[in-house]
Amino acid sequence: MAYPENPKPNYNFSYIDEGLDPSTIEFKVSDYLMLDDGFAVDDSSSQSILSSEHVASGSSAGYSGATKHKNGVKNNKTEVEQRIAFRTKSDLEIMDDGFKWRKYGKKSVKNSPHPRNYYKCSSSGCSVKKRVEREREDSRYVITAYDGVHNHESPCMFHYSNQMPLMVPNAWTLQPSSLHSSSSS
DNA sequence: CGGTTTTGACCGGCGC
DNA sequence: GCGCCGGTCAAAACCG
């Protein structure tokens, strides 16, 4: 094995099981908006299959369909928070991406039989949040959304990036320090 | 024992 | 102002 050991063999994504090509995976990155209200994610409108243009061509861990979400409604604060979301065909909704998450809430989504789970990065100082829910009508799909950017390395850096196209939002590639420092001050 | 999950309460924003 | 709704808190239960 080139890589040590996958600490979390949870990467049971469809393309792995079904042998699909990474570039044709079922990952549909729609903007965060899809989670806002009824999500418009029918296959016909799931236009945004990741930003294939630049990222997918990297064919490695560069995938990022991040949307800049202006959080700065207050005082001119251009606080841009990255929010990426994608849909995955998986039986388990617990997809471990290498980070440690602490669940802090669960809510039933209106209009959907499935609840939504809220997770937060366990690392102190890192306030990245993630929300996971199953697709409204297709329980085979799990929608995962990440909020924010990690300011620390993942406990288990992925060396497999050249091996499998994990979903590695640029959140993963963490920005040196551009982001700042103020997650909350 | 420490960290995590669970689950209902709580709160703020929004639409009516 | 009220109620709906999404998001978060927090206390107790759990688990290694």
Side-chain angles (χ1 to χ4, degrees), chain A residues 45-111:
Chain A
S45 70
S46 50
Q47 64 313 60
S48 14
I49 318 278
L50 31 142
S51 351
S52 36
E53 309 182 75
H54 19 276
V55 202
S57 50
S59 78
S60 357
Y63 145 71
S64 68
T67 349
K68 268 94 186 258
H69 175 242
K70 272 138 189 198
N71 211 25
V73 189
K74 29 182 136 191
N75 297 355
N76 215 7
K77 244 186 184 167
T78 322
E79 212 174 294
V80 191
E81 200 164 289
Q82 304 261 278
R83 178 180 298 193
I84 85 131
F86 48 85
R87 204 167 72 139
T88 314
K89 190 198 284 185
S90 163
D91 294 339
L92 289 334
E93 53 167 78
I94 43 163
M95 297 177 278
D96 220 313
D97 35 44
F99 287 97
K100 206 123 195 252
W101 302 94
R102 188 182 90 260
K103 180 190 279 190
Y104 69 90
K106 168 164 68 174
K107 267 305 227 173
S108 47
V109 185
K110 182 171 151 56
N111 241 332

Side-chain angles (χ1 to χ4, degrees), chain A residues 108-116 134-139:
Chain A
S108 47
V109 185
K110 182 171 151 56
N111 241 332
S112 170
H114 314 290
R116 172 184 297 163
R134 301 205 90 94
E135 158 121 38
R136 197 199 322 193
E137 291 299 334
D138 283 300
S139 16

Side-chain angles (χ1 to χ4, degrees), chain A residues 26-44:
Chain A
E26 211 79 47
F27 280 5
K28 302 271 174 54
V29 177
S30 311
D31 295 345
Y32 62 96
L33 56 81
M34 63 191 262
L35 323 127
D36 273 314
D37 71 310
F39 18 126
V41 210
D42 31 331
D43 276 3
S44 35

Side-chain angles (χ1 to χ4, degrees), chain A residues 145-162:
Chain A
Y146 292 88
D147 252 315
V149 178
H150 288 280
N151 54 201
H152 57 95
E153 304 262 329
S154 128
C156 59
M157 256 337 225
F158 41 88
H159 335 299
Y160 355 85
S161 34
N162 54 7

